[in-house]
Amino acid sequence: MTAERVDALVATASDGIDFDGLRVEATDDGYAFETPDADHAGLDEAALRDVAAGSDYVSNWYVWHAVVPQKPDRWAFLRWLEGADVGADVDGSDVVARYDALTEGVTTEWGQLSITARLDDDEGGRRRYEVRHVDDVGRDGLDRYDDPLEARDLATHDERGRYRPLKAAPSLRTGWQFAALDPTALVEVVEAFYPASVPNWYREREGELDVTHWRETMGRQTGMYGVVKTWDRGEGYEHVNWVAEATCDDSQCLKRREWQYDDETDLDVDGGDGQFPCREPCSVVVSGARKWTKLESEQPRTYEFELTPSEKEQLEEVIDAVADGRTDEIREADVSDGANRFRARFLRAKLFDDEGNLAGTPTDRET
Amino acid sequence: MSALVIVAHGSHLNPDSSTPTYDHADTIRAVGAFDEVRTGFWKEEPSFREVLRTVDSDEVYVVPLFVSEGYFTEQVIPRELRLREWDPEAWESDGTSATDVTLTAEDTGQTIHYCGPVGTHDSMTDVIVRRAESVTGDPDVGDGFGLCVVGHGTKRNENSAKAIEYHARRVEEMDRFDEVRALFMDEDPEIDDVTDYFEAEDVVVVPLFIADGFHTQEDIPEDMGLTDDYRTGWETPATVDGHRIWYAGAVGTEPLMADVVLERAADAGADVGNAVETVRERTRQTGSPAD
């Protein structure tokens, strides 16, 4: 690659180069070549080629202009991965320090991905990326993948084979590794695991993220989803707090929720700590909202049940266990846990009648 | 630079819903007809709202992987892609004749060639026939066979049935099968009575659906009497009322569907070189009829 990049440098020198500490100019006295480590003037082309050939600054310039994807968001993301972005600390933006770090490997987390950028020893300055699950850092014996399209399959089911409709759910399976991706393939892999995360992250960094808030998204719905508009009755936004707590918490989705009730009204629930933003209620939220719009249109009734204090607490434990996805972790014979299956079966045997009514009390659907 | 974006329904519940979309995208990607091939979904990610920003190209061909013109192609997709000044009239369609219209995406400024759905393209007829070939394993299937095209049908949208009837008529005009019929799940004539509509002993049934899901894998097989319980599966062919029913599963899973997607984009002006021929050849599973 040395010849390619030196040719490219010579071809570009007359336009002037000023990038990551490398300055090259064509003057009446010949070429000027300047880096933090070197300062040459009056070079003829052969001399320029000599000083450029071994320079990391030149390889760095070449990689960022001729090797990596030039789409601004992908470019910025790859720069960010190796700490070269604007606003990074001085060490990170210095090419020599950055190359030292890249020789060791620079690791960044993105959702549940651990991405390590390295210099490719054989390709003078080209970057190679390794991607694995954050829980697999330091583990050997992972299944190796090379084709970015295979990331799509890895993202489809969780560890237990259940379908993952929400790509940013913190349920990515482990045990795989993309060992040596080029920059284009790395972005493909990241986008397969977390679609549109890079462009939205970039827009946010540039101060241009187009957030669409709850009111606007629900107001746009039509067809079978048109009903969700009726849930907002101008009586506050507590119901939307409940939705966000139910579906958008970091325990459910690793995007950082940036949408609020409307332009002027923030939700009271935390948006999470994710690296990349969620700019609009997603289709899972809209589907949930449709269901809740219907359920929440019902009027409360007063029912009378008799429960022992422990039975009341047990109902609360069962709801907690389901809501936290904890039921599978409860040991078979752990009868101290209220959400244990035997405990739940006992409660059902005792409290339900033959029609499944709690405490024999029928559901009152009369209006 | 130009890109192809295939937009499809997807599902929160069924991972197989998006499989054909990915498969056809991969087929087209492999022939290199576009600089980029991407997919976007109503129910999966990237969403219709965000798919265009994942595309580098300024020139984008958007092909809906839907069966008929209607609610999704006329309202949902243009709205969610933020196609400026979209109007269904721009397609000047009679319900099955939408081709393409060129608009600007408000969100990204890209030039969008918004194409009609794959389901109403003429070459869909070839896919239906190809499906009959692949399910029977016979590249010359036709003589002595009836062909039934099954659609969802819905009283809410007359275009839904139009697309099914359109292709049934075109297959009939080929004069290849003894009899051709269009039947429906939700309107008359109904698929439940499939054997009443055919004289031929052998009947190939091709559902005009994009993906396999509960309609194609549960309802239709049970409605036709291929099985009492979809979970126990069925034979191909299965014998019902003295007829052998060759049931194919969703036509959208047929590899040749990639060709329809390509042709939609090519009709809209995309320079796809000889990709159409290449895809037609690569997706053939039963050998050439000339063999």
Side-chain angles (χ1 to χ4, degrees):
Chain A
M1 190 171 105
T2 306
E4 273 170 54
R5 69 184 185 231
V6 172
D7 287 346
L9 186 86
V10 171
T12 316
S14 58
D15 298 333
I17 292 171
D18 183 357
F19 181 73
D20 279 1
L22 171 69
R23 291 169 66 92
V24 180
E25 268 185 293
T27 69
D28 293 343
D29 300 329
Y31 294 105
F33 180 98
E34 187 188 326
T35 70
D37 309 327
D39 192 356
H40 303 278
L43 302 172
D44 61 18
E45 186 183 318
L48 176 66
R49 285 177 177 276
D50 278 348
V51 297
S55 169
D56 287 344
Y57 289 89
V58 173
S59 92
N60 179 69
W61 167 80
Y62 183 73
V63 160
W64 288 108
H65 292 85
V67 177
V68 309
Q70 297 295 295
K71 188 172 189 269
D73 51 22
R74 297 175 196 166
W75 196 84
F77 177 69
L78 292 162
R79 297 271 292 170
W80 177 75
L81 284 181
E82 60 182 65
D85 61 328
V86 180
D89 58 49
V90 177
D91 281 352
S93 59
D94 178 79
V95 170
V96 172
R98 179 146 42 93
Y99 270 42
D100 282 347
L102 283 169
T103 303
E104 293 293 308
V106 177
T107 299
T108 311
E109 289 189 5
W110 188 257
Q112 285 183 294
L113 305 180
S114 171
I115 305 169
T116 302
R118 289 195 178 82
L119 285 182
D120 187 327
D121 293 339
D122 302 328
E123 292 280 348
R126 290 197 189 234
R127 271 61 162 175
R128 285 288 175 270
Y129 300 86
E130 199 246 355
V131 184
R132 57 174 69 197
H133 193 290
V134 286
D135 293 345
D136 284 334
V137 172
R139 280 180 56 189
D140 298 325
L142 303 173
D143 295 334
R144 180 180 165 134
Y145 294 87
D146 295 299
D147 182 351
L149 291 175
E150 291 178 304
R152 220 166 45 192
D153 294 330
L154 291 168
T156 304
H157 295 96
D158 70 10
E159 211 84 65
R160 291 163 45 209
R162 293 181 306 182
Y163 176 46
R164 300 173 68 242
L166 204 53
K167 288 283 194 295
S171 57
L172 194 60
R173 55 177 275 207
T174 58
W176 48 268
Q177 170 198 35
F178 288 85
L181 298 166
D182 68 27
T184 301
L186 181 271
V187 175
E188 294 291 332
V189 165
V190 169
E191 285 281 301
F193 284 116
Y194 298 113
S197 63
V198 172
N200 285 334
W201 165 88
Y202 177 71
R203 284 182 179 222
E204 184 177 51
R205 264 169 56 113
E206 297 293 299
E208 294 169 356
L209 185 68
D210 52 331
V211 175
T212 308
H213 299 291
W214 168 276
R215 288 275 292 169
E216 190 182 335
T217 299
M218 299 306 145
R220 198 176 74 227
Q221 301 305 315
T222 53
M224 64 186 279
Y225 296 103
V227 67
V228 299
K229 293 191 251 284
T230 65
W231 201 10
D232 297 331
R233 298 196 184 97
E235 297 163 1
Y237 56 92
E238 195 179 23
H239 58 301
V240 188
N241 281 335
W242 297 332
V243 172
E245 187 176 328
T247 56
C248 308
D249 187 81
D250 277 352
S251 65
Q252 308 302 310
C253 179
L254 295 173
K255 287 186 196 174
R256 173 170 28 81
R257 181 180 54 74
E258 289 297 323
W259 56 266
Q260 307 292 345
Y261 181 63
D262 61 22
D263 258 348
E264 290 159 4
T265 320
D266 284 0
L267 298 180
D268 304 323
V269 182
D270 186 52
D273 299 319
Q275 290 101 328
F276 42 92
C278 171
R279 45 162 299 283
E280 176 169 20
C282 68
S283 69
V284 171
V285 167
V286 173
S287 290
R290 173 174 179 260
K291 187 71 185 170
W292 288 311
T293 299
K294 292 179 169 185
L295 298 178
E296 289 294 297
S297 69
E298 295 179 7
Q299 294 303 311
R301 305 273 191 280
T302 302
Y303 295 96
E304 218 170 88
F305 303 108
E306 287 205 336
L307 300 173
T308 68
S310 293
E311 285 167 351
K312 174 183 171 287
E313 285 175 358
Q314 190 187 343
L315 288 179
E316 291 155 0
E317 272 186 84
V318 168
I319 291 171
D320 272 339
V322 172
D324 295 336
R326 197 173 67 80
T327 52
D328 282 351
E329 296 160 19
I330 300 167
R331 288 168 295 176
E332 188 80 2
D334 185 4
V335 290
S336 68
D337 192 317
N340 168 270
R341 197 172 72 245
F342 294 133
R343 287 281 305 278
R345 289 179 66 85
F346 180 90
L347 199 67
R348 182 172 70 176
K350 177 182 171 187
L351 294 183
F352 287 17
D353 67 13
D354 292 344
E355 275 80 49
N357 288 309
L358 180 62
T361 307
T363 302
D364 178 9
R365 292 217 165 265
E366 297 300 308
T367 51
Chain B
M1 276 184 82
S2 73
L4 172 70
V5 172
I6 307 175
V7 290
H9 194 284
S11 167
H12 290 156
L13 303 176
N14 174 12
D16 297 331
S17 174
S18 50
T19 307
T21 313
Y22 290 140
D23 288 346
H24 306 321
D26 292 352
T27 300
I28 295 169
R29 198 175 282 120
V31 298
F34 293 89
D35 297 303
E36 300 172 273
V37 179
R38 306 215 171 260
T39 52
F41 299 95
W42 175 231
K43 292 288 187 175
E44 298 180 32
E45 297 167 81
S47 64
F48 294 162
R49 286 280 278 182
E50 297 186 349
V51 65
L52 291 177
R53 63 185 62 186
T54 70
V55 175
D56 195 11
S57 312
D58 294 326
E59 188 100 6
V60 185
Y61 294 85
V62 173
V63 178
L65 206 62
F66 284 79
V67 165
S68 55
E69 294 174 29
Y71 177 59
F72 277 97
T73 61
E74 291 176 2
Q75 290 187 50
V76 175
I77 297 168
R79 179 187 79 209
E80 299 291 298
L81 292 179
R82 302 180 232 188
L83 300 183
R84 192 181 293 154
E85 292 172 10
W86 159 254
D87 180 348
E89 296 299 312
W91 266 345
E92 295 179 6
S93 175
D94 63 9
T96 57
S97 65
T99 53
D100 67 283
V101 55
T102 300
L103 300 160
T104 303
E106 256 165 48
D107 176 29
T108 58
Q110 291 153 318
T111 299
I112 308 295
H113 303 280
Y114 181 50
C115 302
V118 288
T120 55
H121 194 274
D122 279 357
S123 55
M124 231 5 244
T125 310
D126 301 340
V127 184
I128 292 168
V129 173
R130 177 77 73 88
R131 195 73 179 149
E133 295 171 10
S134 42
V135 72
T136 56
D138 176 4
D140 299 312
V141 64
D143 205 18
F145 272 71
L147 181 99
C148 173
V149 186
V150 194
H152 190 290
T154 161
K155 293 177 182 72
R156 285 175 300 162
N157 175 13
E158 57 176 13
N159 288 343
S160 171
K162 272 190 195 170
I164 316 298
E165 285 157 356
Y166 180 72
H167 292 297
R169 205 160 51 239
R170 282 173 49 84
V171 176
E172 197 163 22
E173 284 162 6
M174 289 175 176
D175 215 11
R176 172 169 173 166
F177 295 87
D178 289 5
E179 302 157 85
V180 181
R181 280 281 187 177
L183 301 179
F184 302 94
M185 284 180 58
D186 279 3
E187 59 183 81
D188 289 332
E190 287 196 354
I191 185 64
D192 307 41
D193 312 316
V194 59
T195 52
D196 294 349
Y197 290 101
F198 287 91
E199 299 280 320
E201 197 173 327
D202 286 286
V203 180
V204 179
V205 177
V206 181
L208 202 67
F209 285 74
I210 294 299
D212 275 321
F214 70 96
H215 288 321
T216 64
Q217 296 301 304
E218 301 175 22
D219 293 351
I220 296 174
E222 288 185 8
D223 289 350
M224 289 193 296
L226 301 187
T227 175
D228 294 333
D229 181 347
Y230 73 89
R231 284 167 295 193
T232 60
W234 56 87
E235 300 286 313
T236 308
T239 304
V240 181
D241 300 335
H243 293 265
R244 276 193 299 273
I245 305 287
W246 304 74
Y247 179 62
V251 71
T253 64
E254 178 67 35
L256 184 61
M257 273 292 281
D259 165 72
V260 187
V261 176
L262 253 184
E263 291 202 43
R264 271 286 182 219
D267 292 350
D271 175 11
V272 300
N274 59 359
V276 168
E277 293 73 33
T278 309
V279 164
R280 282 188 164 250
E281 209 37 59
R282 284 189 190 173
T283 54
R284 190 180 294 285
Q285 294 173 318
T286 51
S288 162
D291 290 347

